[in-house]
Amino acid sequence: MWTIIKVDKKKFYSLKQDLKNKFGSEAEIYRPKLLIEKFRNNKLYKREFDLLGDYLFCYHNGFVKKRLLEQLKFTRGVKYFLNGFISSQNEIKKFIEKCKNIENEKGYIKHSFYDLEIDRYYKFSSGPFTDKIFKIIELQKNKINILMGNIKTKIKKKEFLFTPL
């Protein structure tokens, strides 16, 4: 059963080690991550971001038992367990499957994670237009027609990272 845990990011590795010691290889931790590339002063900087901030998914068959969760509350790095995860198992599984299906070979979420919509505004996260806002005019298979200010242009979907506003 999957559970959602809010963690202290500074103590994540000690939490991971504690879970490994208690459960062995039976526990699975999943933290979807994004790799953002930004140009600043003609240098390319790469930064890793957790898609869910300080939340992560953890799977173990024993999470059905409340007693086990009560014991894990006091593990180093755990702030709290999100309530309602038992009734939301289908949604959690679908989200994790979607994330795993669009990961690249290094384990980072590809920029195709977001569902693109026409007439919505987005912000570039990589490339020469970093932090610039644009509007999608038309979607094609591999290209997007965008409007940046008064300029209409086409970009390739796979070349740039962008996030919805």
Side-chain angles (χ1 to χ4, degrees):
M1 175 167 291
W2 287 100
T3 185
I4 304 170
I5 306 172
K6 183 167 183 161
V7 297
D8 183 358
K9 285 186 178 183
K10 294 176 185 173
K11 298 179 182 177
F12 169 72
Y13 292 104
S14 62
L15 168 67
K16 189 175 180 180
Q17 189 63 39
D18 288 348
L19 289 175
K20 194 175 199 179
N21 291 341
K22 288 181 183 180
F23 300 121
S25 61
E26 296 174 13
E28 179 185 350
I29 293 176
Y30 183 67
R31 277 172 66 183
K33 295 182 179 192
L34 287 169
L35 184 67
I36 304 294
E37 297 175 339
K38 288 191 175 189
F39 280 100
R40 207 178 274 157
N41 299 331
N42 291 331
K43 284 189 176 182
L44 179 66
Y45 293 96
K46 294 181 181 182
R47 253 183 110 186
E48 187 177 279
F49 287 99
D50 289 323
L51 187 64
L52 302 175
D54 49 358
Y55 291 94
L56 60 85
F57 297 103
C58 186
Y59 180 83
H60 189 269
N61 292 331
F63 287 150
V64 177
K65 303 172 188 171
K66 288 198 174 214
R67 184 171 178 243
L68 180 64
L69 291 175
E70 289 295 324
Q71 292 174 349
L72 290 176
K73 270 186 184 177
F74 304 105
T75 305
R76 285 181 299 176
V78 173
K79 289 185 179 177
Y80 61 85
F81 287 86
L82 216 57
N83 292 330
F85 67 89
I86 294 172
S87 61
S88 303
Q89 287 299 302
N90 289 336
E91 290 86 1
I92 293 171
K93 288 177 188 175
K94 285 179 187 175
F95 180 78
I96 291 172
E97 284 176 20
K98 181 178 179 181
C99 288
K100 286 185 176 182
N101 286 338
I102 58 173
E103 283 181 351
N104 63 14
E105 60 278 350
K106 294 180 182 176
Y108 294 108
I109 302 291
K110 294 179 189 175
H111 57 278
S112 62
F113 177 74
Y114 299 109
D115 295 325
L116 301 177
E117 296 177 18
I118 296 175
D119 291 334
R120 279 200 65 198
Y121 288 93
Y122 295 85
K123 181 178 175 182
F124 282 109
S125 300
S126 68
F129 301 116
T130 302
D131 296 329
K132 302 292 184 204
I133 297 173
F134 66 93
K135 180 179 179 180
I136 294 181
I137 300 170
E138 182 184 353
L139 292 171
Q140 297 174 353
K141 184 175 181 181
N142 295 322
K143 293 184 180 182
I144 305 170
N145 290 338
I146 64 169
L147 179 66
M148 276 188 4
N150 296 333
I151 302 170
K152 290 183 183 180
T153 187
K154 287 184 182 183
I155 61 169
K156 293 181 181 178
K157 284 184 183 180
K158 295 181 180 180
E159 285 187 7
F160 299 99
L161 290 175
F162 42 86
T163 56
L165 290 180

